[in-house]
C-alpha cells in the first residue's frame, strides 16, 4: 500500500471531518448504508474528495466517508466499498483498513449482501460470519512485506473474533432476533455462480457466497484490528432458489430487511465499543 496516499487521505479527512481520533470503523456494503440508524453523523466527506483511485461506482454503494458517534464511541464509517472485480488491484479494496488504522481505529465491522448457499436460509435472513473460504483466486497480502504492519505469515484461526461473536449472538438472542452463524465463501465475481459451483461450495462448507469482505477481513486480522463481519442474505444462490439472479433483487431485499440489519449492526457496534481496552475518545461537545 502506498503510504503517501494514506498520509494524504488522513490529512484530507482530518481537515474535512475534524479531529480524526476514532475508536472503531464500519464498512457498509451493498444496501447497508441506511442501517446505521440511530448513530449521530458528525461530519461527512464524499469519496471523490479523498485521494483514492476513483469513487464507489457500484449501484447501492453511496461512496461517502462519515464520522459518527454512537454507543459512547467515535466511528469512521465507509458508506460503500471497492471490489476486486473492478480490476483496479487490491489498493482501493483494502484502503479503508489502512485509513481506519491510521486514524486510530481498534476494531472494524464489515457488512455485505450475500447469496444463501445453506438451504435452511431465506432471503432477508442475517448471518454472522464465523469463518471464510477465500475462493477469489488472489490474496490481498501478496506483495512486499512491511514488518511494521503485520507478520509475513499471519495466523487465521480467529479472523472473526470468537469472543465478540458470542457477545453479539447473546445480544441478538436476548432480543429474540433470528441470526445464523456460518461460513462465507468469497469469489472474485463479477458473474454470479453457476449451479455446479454452488453445489461444490456447499460441499466445501459454505453457507453463503459473495464477492467481498474476505480481503478486508484478512487485512484486518493481519494488522491486528478486531473484526466482525455480517451478511444480509439477499437471495438464494444459483439453483438453491428459483430464477435468475440480479443486483436489483439484491438491493430490494436489503431495503426490506433494514430494521433487522440495523438491530444486528447495533449489536456489533455495542460489542466493539465494550471491547475497547481504553476509554473511548471523548467528544464531549456531542451527546
Ligand atoms: N452470489 C454472489 N454474490 C452475491 C450474491 C450471490 O448469490 N448475492 C449477493 N451477492
Amino acid at each position: 500500500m502506498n503510504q503517501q496516499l494514506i498520509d494524504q487521505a488522513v490529512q484530507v479527512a482530518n481537515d474535512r471531518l475534524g479531529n480524526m481520533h476514532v475508536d472503531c470503523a464500519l464498512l457498509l456494503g451493498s444496501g447497508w448504508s441506511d442501517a446505521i440508524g440511530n448513530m449521530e453523523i458528525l461530519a461527512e466527506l464524499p469519496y471523490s474528495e479523498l485521494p483514492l483511485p476513483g469513487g464507489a461506482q457500484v449501484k447501492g454503494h453511496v461512496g461517502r466517508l462519515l464520522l459518527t458517534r454512537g454507543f459512547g464511541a467515535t466511528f469512521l464509517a465507509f458508506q460503500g466499498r471497492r471490489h476486486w472485480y473492478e480490476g483496479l488491484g487490491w489498493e482501493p479494496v483494502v484502503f479503508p483498513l489502512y485509513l481506519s488504522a491510521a486514524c486510530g481505529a481498534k476494531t472494524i465491522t464489515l457488512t455485505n449482501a450475500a447469496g444463501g448457499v445453506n438451504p435452511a436460509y431465506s432471503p432477508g435472513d442475517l448471518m454472522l460470519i464465523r469463518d471464510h473460504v477465500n475462493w477469489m483466486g488472489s490474496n490481498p497480502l501478496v506483495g512486499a512485506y512491511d514488518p511494521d504492519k503485520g507478520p509475513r505469515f499471519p495466523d487465521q484461526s480467529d479472523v472473526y473474533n470468537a469472543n465478540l461473536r458470542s457477545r453479539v449472538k447473546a445480544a441478538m438472542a436476548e432480543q429474540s432476533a433470528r441470526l445464523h452463524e456460518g461460513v462465507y465463501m468469497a469469489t472474485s465475481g463479477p458473474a454470479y455462480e453457476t449451479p455446479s459451483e454452488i453445489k461444490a461450495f456447499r460441499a466445501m462448507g459454505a453457507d453463503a457466497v459473495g464477492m467481498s469482505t474476505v480481503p478486508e477481513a484478512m487485512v484486518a486480522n493481519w494488522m491486528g484490528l478486531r473484526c466482525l463481519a455480517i451478511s444480509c442474505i439477499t437471495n438464494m444462490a444459483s439453483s438453491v432458489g428459483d430464477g435468475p439472479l440480479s443486483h436489483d433483487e439484491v438491493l430490494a431485499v436489503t431495503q426490506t430487511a433494514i430494521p433487522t440489519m440495523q438491530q444486528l449492526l447495533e449489536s456489533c457496534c455495542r460489542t466493539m465499543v465494550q471491547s475497547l481496552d481504553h476509554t473511548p475518545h471523548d467528544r464531549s461537545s456531542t451527546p
Side-chain angles (χ1 to χ4, degrees):
M1 175 60 72
N2 177 341
Q3 185 60 43
Q4 218 180 343
L5 201 68
I6 299 161
D7 294 344
Q8 282 168 9
V10 171
Q11 181 76 50
V12 174
N14 257 319
D15 292 348
R16 296 287 312 278
L17 297 177
N19 181 13
M20 290 281 291
H21 283 293
V22 303
D23 300 299
C24 303
L26 270 180
L27 185 44
L28 302 164
S30 293
W32 280 89
S33 283
D34 293 337
I36 53 169
N38 299 327
M39 280 211 186
E40 184 195 3
I41 298 176
L42 302 174
E44 60 181 76
L45 176 63
Y47 284 174
S48 55
E49 294 179 28
L50 276 167
L52 294 172
Q57 290 152 357
V58 176
K59 210 168 157 187
H61 288 257
V62 177
R64 197 165 45 194
L65 183 62
L66 303 179
L67 187 65
T68 68
R69 175 96 190 147
F71 320 107
T74 306
F75 288 76
L76 190 60
F78 295 83
Q79 288 187 310
R81 61 152 55 84
R82 306 305 298 267
H83 295 83
W84 174 240
Y85 61 69
E86 293 175 60
L88 298 172
W90 284 121
E91 286 206 351
V93 178
V94 299
F95 182 81
L97 279 300
Y98 284 82
L99 184 55
S100 300
C103 294
K106 298 287 180 278
T107 80
I108 189 157
T109 302
L110 306 169
T111 65
N112 64 45
V117 176
N118 185 329
Y121 291 7
S122 302
D125 283 358
L126 299 175
M127 184 183 93
L128 187 59
I129 300 183
R130 185 179 65 236
D131 201 0
H132 70 236
V133 178
N134 178 9
W135 201 252
M136 298 184 96
S138 184
N139 185 315
L141 300 176
V142 167
Y145 170 46
D146 180 354
D148 292 338
K149 291 261 162 30
R152 175 78 287 190
F153 303 106
D155 174 72
Q156 292 204 119
S157 52
D158 192 28
V159 174
Y160 308 92
N161 190 291
N163 183 274
L164 300 180
R165 278 189 284 116
S166 325
R167 292 201 226 169
V168 171
K169 283 185 283 181
M172 290 294 277
E174 234 168 69
Q175 301 169 68
S176 308
R178 183 174 160 87
L179 178 67
H180 302 293
E181 190 179 32
V183 175
Y184 177 92
M185 185 103 184
T187 71
S188 70
Y192 290 113
E193 303 72 31
T194 65
S196 299
E197 284 167 345
I198 293 300
K199 205 169 155 195
F201 293 172
R202 183 70 190 135
M204 290 165 77
D207 295 294
V209 62
M211 306 172 193
S212 69
T213 306
V214 165
E216 295 104 318
M218 290 177 72
V219 171
N221 177 66
W222 168 70
M223 286 180 159
L225 287 191
R226 286 190 288 285
C227 177
L228 284 171
I230 50 182
S231 299
C232 177
I233 305 299
T234 51
N235 56 280
M236 294 315 288
S238 174
S239 80
V240 183
D242 313 317
L245 306 183
S246 80
H247 191 58
D248 287 341
E249 177 194 354
V250 166
L251 296 181
V253 171
T254 56
Q255 281 313 302
T256 60
I258 285 288
T260 48
M261 289 159 73
Q262 197 172 318
Q263 196 178 21
L264 177 56
L265 191 61
E266 191 171 315
S267 295
C268 291
C269 291
R270 273 188 202 287
T271 299
M272 288 306 205
V273 174
Q274 286 161 7
S275 82
L276 294 172
D277 48 7
H278 61 87
T279 310
H281 289 107
D282 183 26
R283 289 187 156 257
S284 38
S285 59
T286 59

